[in-house]
Amino acid sequence: MNDAIIEVHDFRKIYSTSVAVDGISFDVRRGEIFGLLGPNGAGKTSTLESLEGLRRADGGTLRIAGVDPGRRGRQLRALIGVQLQTSGLPDSFRVEEAMRFFCTYHGISPRDDLIERVGLGEKRRAQYHELSGGQQRRLGLALAVAHNPPVVFLDEPTSGLDVASRAMLHDLMRELQAGGTTILLATHDMAEASEMANRVAILLRGRIAAMGTPMELTATGAGLTKVSVRTDTGCLGQPGTTFPAVQQAQTRDDYYIYFSTDIGPTVAALITYITAQNDSLVDLRVERPTLEDRFLEITAKGGAG
Amino acid sequence: MNAFAYHFGFEFRVGIRNKALMLMNYLFPLGCYLMFGALMGSINPGFLQTIVPAMSVFAVLSGALLGMPDTLVNAREAGIFRSYKINGVPALNILVVPVLTSMLHALLVTAIIALTAPALFDGVAPANWAGFLLVFLVTAFALAGLGALIGVVSTSSRMTVLLSQLVFLPSMILGGLMLPSSLLTGALGKVALLLPTTYAMDAFAGLAMGQGTGSHAWQSVGILLAGGLMAFGLALFLFSWDSKNSTRRGHPALALLAWLPYVIGLLLAH
């Protein structure tokens, strides 16, 4: 069964002389958080804005719950909520006015509960320009979801936020997902994508360079797994010790650090060696390549991934 | 409350809450009214015959041309229109609401002027209040339409100031506010006939102040109404949601068509 709520097929976007998006295809399933990653100019914003109905596609098809965003603007409004990267609100809007304004245009009662939920209850009467960056983002998200849209677009939602504001936005995103909302998340923040997204697509020069779950993407890369080991007597420091699948080794602060292409044989051999030397293991840490490592690898290759 | 009414109420409050708009909608026109009333009354006593319509037109000019266009440009550049589009705010409302609120602000200032000028400066009050209101509304619509058009075609605040001043300054000097347009001869007289304020002052004189001929005044009302409709229609036609992703339906130079009714007025006068 096709459970896709966002369908992008062979989508193209061209600006006078340059091709911003060159025939990309992907689906986003209902209730999924889908991350759209890519360097500046990769085509993320063009894709997002075309899905939001702000730009027209120059080729291919776009559908949100079966609706063509380029043609059915009114139907689209009920289906999507958008938190834009830029403010998108007049400076003199009070928090409660902004909520009332957009709710009346959506034909619903003002969602004062959402103002409380995003922690802006005490800022109800504050004007938009009086809010901190984090508060503005939280208000933006509250306004985007006020009419309970099944699809929410978030463009760099946590960019420039402090840790607490970022955590609060992530909690809200998880709540939305738990309620069945589909989220398309465009971000530069690899840790955020890795933590929040069920699947991600990496865009490069208008094409999809890689797509899958964060785990799948990090597993398929050529990145080396980092194994850091500390023992009681430092037996690993003896000259001539080598271990399978290790490509690089170094020491730092009593730790022996190995970069392995195949973690299983490396760790097994390390433990065997330590035991054979009558030494004892104090600490062992394994760090897989991160999404950021994979992203850098793909962008360095120029999209061959 | 429906969306349009809430939008109108919000925009009206912003016109008072926003310092720049407060200045252009109220402080600047009322300050100039007090200054001109005190100075011009002694320099040119004839000014007191027209102080009420002249300062009313001045209030409309200030709010519609010096205040409104820049807020439209800033809103577009800040992505506010994009946000409105996503949330279902129609382009028509984005233009109609500022035009109407600008007219309402000017109406409040005009009421203060019309009610205080006789007592403060021995100014002449309108002889026909219904005619005064009619001419005010048509004038405010014509100038607010131009303000909306300037806001739509301007690409920056700097360009907005330039375009607004291209209408504001000649209107102040040649548009019959400070001295009667009938005193202007030759080329200056023709230029004056290209300015909406000339027709506004003519219509006020004929239909509100009892100082001119009614038939000519009705022609001026017709030209102002046509000018307002042209300007607003062109603003709607040329409207774009954002500057980066222009979906404008025509070249901004089409905005010059808003002057067509005034050109016809010039031809009819000769």
Side-chain angles (χ1 to χ4, degrees):
Chain A
M1 189 182 81
N2 180 12
D3 198 26
I5 192 164
I6 299 173
E7 296 166 87
V8 176
H9 182 69
D10 203 20
F11 165 62
R12 284 170 63 81
K13 185 70 199 166
I14 300 164
Y15 299 107
S16 55
T17 55
S18 67
V19 179
V21 184
D22 191 8
I24 64 169
S25 299
F26 63 90
D27 288 345
V28 182
R29 300 169 197 135
R30 281 177 202 276
E32 188 175 40
I33 297 181
F34 189 89
L36 213 48
L37 313 179
N40 292 334
K44 296 191 303 290
T45 302
S46 294
T47 305
L48 225 57
E49 292 188 345
S50 298
L51 283 166
E52 292 162 0
L54 292 172
R55 298 180 192 228
R56 281 195 178 274
D58 294 313
T61 50
L62 301 173
R63 293 286 182 275
I64 294 178
V67 170
D68 180 348
R71 293 174 187 272
R72 300 281 179 87
R74 192 167 290 183
Q75 276 179 274
L76 186 72
R77 305 284 82 88
L79 291 170
I80 66 167
V82 180
Q83 184 195 28
L84 292 167
Q85 198 177 346
T86 52
S87 77
L89 289 177
D91 277 350
S92 39
F93 245 147
R94 295 190 196 283
V95 170
E96 60 186 6
E97 282 177 337
M99 180 58 77
R100 196 161 295 240
F101 183 86
F102 288 117
C103 284
T104 53
Y105 268 108
H106 282 294
I108 58 170
S109 300
R111 295 285 309 278
D112 290 338
D113 59 307
L114 272 176
I115 295 178
E116 294 290 342
R117 176 62 194 88
V118 297
L120 294 175
E122 291 179 1
K123 294 283 181 181
R124 238 167 237 289
R125 301 278 301 156
Q127 293 182 27
Y128 187 70
H129 68 92
E130 294 167 343
L131 301 178
S132 68
Q135 290 167 335
Q136 290 182 349
R137 294 294 170 94
R138 279 185 269 152
L139 175 62
L141 184 57
L143 296 174
V145 302
H147 57 297
N148 288 323
V151 177
V152 174
F153 294 95
L154 305 177
D155 196 355
E156 303 287 348
T158 56
S159 166
L161 296 191
D162 60 33
V163 176
S165 298
R166 182 184 150 94
M168 186 179 229
L169 272 175
H170 285 171
D171 284 346
L172 282 167
M173 287 162 65
R174 286 190 194 95
E175 265 180 44
L176 287 169
Q177 187 184 27
T181 305
T182 306
I183 297 174
L184 186 52
L185 169 71
T187 183
H188 280 111
D189 186 338
M190 298 299 143
E192 177 171 71
S194 201
E195 185 187 340
M196 301 300 301
N198 301 106
R199 287 189 303 141
V200 298
I202 297 177
L203 284 180
L204 202 60
R205 296 193 195 122
R207 294 182 176 201
I208 292 180
M211 183 160 60
T213 66
M215 287 292 277
E216 283 170 352
L217 288 190
T218 50
T220 54
L224 302 172
T225 301
K226 184 177 167 187
V227 184
S228 306
V229 189
R230 188 174 156 214
T231 65
D232 204 14
T233 59
C235 69
L236 294 169
Q238 291 174 16
T241 50
T242 57
F243 300 100
V246 169
Q247 298 221 332
Q248 290 174 50
Q250 56 185 242
T251 58
R252 190 193 303 159
D253 301 335
D254 296 336
Y255 278 84
Y256 294 87
I257 300 167
Y258 303 94
F259 293 90
S260 167
T261 55
D262 192 353
I263 182 71
T266 304
V267 172
L270 274 166
I271 292 171
T272 304
Y273 180 80
I274 292 165
T275 309
Q277 297 296 313
N278 288 325
D279 200 350
S280 53
L281 193 63
V282 176
D283 191 13
L284 186 146
R285 300 175 192 194
V286 176
E287 293 169 59
R288 287 276 188 192
T290 62
L291 192 58
E292 183 165 351
D293 296 328
R294 180 70 176 126
F295 177 82
L296 292 172
E297 184 189 325
I298 289 170
T299 49
K301 277 184 188 171
Chain B
M1 184 185 284
N2 76 32
F4 183 85
Y6 191 80
H7 192 163
F8 179 84
F10 165 71
E11 197 84 22
F12 182 74
R13 289 194 297 278
V14 167
I16 296 167
R17 197 184 291 163
N18 179 303
K19 286 173 188 160
L21 287 177
M22 178 70 176
L23 178 71
M24 291 309 169
N25 286 331
Y26 293 94
L27 301 180
F28 182 54
L30 285 173
C32 286
Y33 157 64
L34 294 173
M35 191 176 73
F36 289 150
L39 291 178
M40 294 290 284
S42 53
I43 298 168
N44 172 19
F47 176 70
L48 298 178
Q49 299 289 311
T50 59
I51 184 171
V52 174
M55 295 316 297
S56 167
V57 171
F58 182 83
V60 175
L61 276 173
S62 175
L65 295 182
L66 303 184
M68 191 220 304
D70 204 38
T71 59
L72 288 172
V73 173
N74 288 338
R76 188 181 60 233
E77 297 305 309
I80 291 168
F81 291 169
R82 287 152 55 87
S83 165
Y84 282 4
K85 185 181 186 187
I86 286 165
N87 286 287
V89 182
L92 183 65
N93 290 15
I94 290 174
L95 292 178
V96 165
V97 168
V99 165
L100 292 180
T101 53
S102 163
M103 289 170 69
L104 183 55
H105 289 303
L107 181 62
L108 292 174
V109 173
T110 293
I112 294 170
I113 292 168
L115 294 173
T116 60
L120 287 179
F121 306 114
D122 279 334
V124 175
N128 180 345
W129 284 95
F132 182 79
L133 183 63
L134 172 79
V135 176
F136 167 81
L137 290 175
V138 174
T139 302
F141 175 62
L143 291 171
L146 278 180
L149 185 58
I150 289 170
V152 162
V153 299
S154 290
T155 52
S156 64
S157 288
R158 193 178 294 176
M159 189 176 177
T160 311
V161 171
L162 179 71
L163 293 176
S164 296
Q165 292 295 349
L166 274 174
V167 184
F168 181 82
L169 287 177
S171 298
M172 279 293 296
I173 299 164
L174 305 173
L177 271 61
M178 298 295 127
L179 73 167
S181 300
S182 55
L183 295 180
L184 300 171
T185 54
L188 286 180
K190 287 176 182 168
V191 171
L193 284 167
L194 292 172
L195 300 169
T197 49
T198 303
Y199 298 93
M201 291 305 289
D202 183 58
F204 272 122
L207 297 177
M209 308 304 288
Q211 297 164 349
T213 58
S215 59
H216 200 261
W218 280 112
Q219 182 182 304
S220 292
V221 167
I223 288 168
L224 285 170
L225 194 59
L229 287 170
M230 283 291 283
F232 190 77
L234 284 164
L236 200 58
F237 181 73
L238 295 171
F239 178 80
S240 63
W241 293 95
D242 67 76
S243 51
K244 286 180 283 184
N245 176 32
S246 179
T247 50
R248 211 190 285 279
R249 284 172 285 193
H251 194 278
L254 283 174
L256 290 170
L257 285 174
W259 254 262
L260 194 59
Y262 308 110
V263 172
I264 292 171
L266 171 66
L267 297 174
L268 288 174
H270 290 82

